[in-house]
Amino acid sequence: MASSSPPPDSRPDPQEVRIDGIAEQVLAIDTLVDLAQHTLQVFDRDLVEGGWNSPDRAERIARFLRRSRNSRLSIIVHDTRHLESACPRLLALLRTYGHAMAIWRTGAEARHATDGLVLADGRHHLHRYHVDQPRATFALEMPQATKPLVARFEEIWATGEPALGGSVLGL
């Protein structure tokens, strides 16, 4: 039976790191996907940056989704065109794991949001301050710092609507 959290000795030490580049963000996102046990929440303008369609990221996400039948990946973006045209691996994961994965588009109320978020289990996060700048904060094992970002994600999610489904019916 899967435990609700990793054993204490496998948890990372609490830390917060300033990130100044996209390559560092890609590594941070990989770390978050690997650490996640139950939930991954992603908000971005369009997922153009961050390595979302790389073969390695797709395998990491698949491992996360197989980890538990309760694993959930929630992605919300302003614009899905990049996902539809340049992310076949992510869309293949959506077809395979549609029961555990959702890709939504933001509603009008959240179109002003410009800070990217990747949240893992409400304990770890990557917070990109603005989509036009590569600076971000990467925090591990910091649930108090992650909590307001989870609330922000939920506010953005509440404005959204399903954008892409796992079915190819009608194509």
Side-chain angles (χ1 to χ4, degrees), residues 69-85:
R69 66 177 161 195
N70 297 319
S71 295
R72 297 292 179 261
L73 170 58
S74 303
I75 298 172
I76 189 164
V77 295
H78 290 317
D79 186 347
T80 61
R81 286 178 292 187
H82 174 74
L83 283 164
E84 294 170 286
S85 65

Side-chain angles (χ1 to χ4, degrees), residues 39-43 115 117-127 142-158:
T39 60
L40 274 170
Q41 299 167 304
V42 179
F43 164 65
D115 57 327
L117 301 169
V118 180
L119 312 169
D121 295 335
R123 307 189 69 73
H124 322 286
H125 70 265
L126 175 69
H127 181 209
M142 297 190 73
Q144 286 304 102
T146 305
K147 185 176 181 176
L149 298 175
V150 170
R152 177 159 174 69
F153 177 87
E154 290 171 354
E155 288 172 0
I156 293 168
W157 187 266

Side-chain angles (χ1 to χ4, degrees), residues 24-148:
E24 293 170 288
Q25 287 184 39
V26 170
L27 295 173
I29 294 168
D30 286 343
T31 300
L32 293 174
V33 173
D34 291 345
L35 284 171
Q37 296 295 307
H38 302 289
T39 60
L40 274 170
Q41 299 167 304
V42 179
F43 164 65
D44 193 77
R45 174 175 43 194
D46 53 17
L47 294 184
V48 169
E49 298 175 323
W52 289 100
N53 193 51
S54 74
D56 182 60
R57 177 69 55 75
E59 179 52 38
R60 289 172 191 272
I61 291 172
R63 268 196 314 266
F64 161 71
L65 293 170
R66 288 190 306 258
R67 196 165 289 145
S68 164
R69 66 177 161 195
N70 297 319
S71 295
R72 297 292 179 261
L73 170 58
S74 303
I75 298 172
I76 189 164
V77 295
H78 290 317
D79 186 347
T80 61
R81 286 178 292 187
H82 174 74
L83 283 164
E84 294 170 286
S85 65
C87 293
R89 291 178 185 92
L90 202 53
L91 295 180
L93 287 170
L94 181 60
R95 282 190 298 277
T96 303
Y97 297 100
H99 63 284
M101 185 176 169
I103 298 178
W104 282 32
R105 183 180 305 107
T106 54
E109 302 89 350
R111 295 293 168 150
H112 66 282
T114 58
D115 57 327
L117 301 169
V118 180
L119 312 169
D121 295 335
R123 307 189 69 73
H124 322 286
H125 70 265
L126 175 69
H127 181 209
R128 184 171 178 174
Y129 309 129
H130 193 280
V131 294
D132 293 332
Q133 300 293 323
R135 294 182 323 229
T137 298
F138 176 48
L140 297 177
E141 205 55 55
M142 297 190 73
Q144 286 304 102
T146 305
K147 185 176 181 176

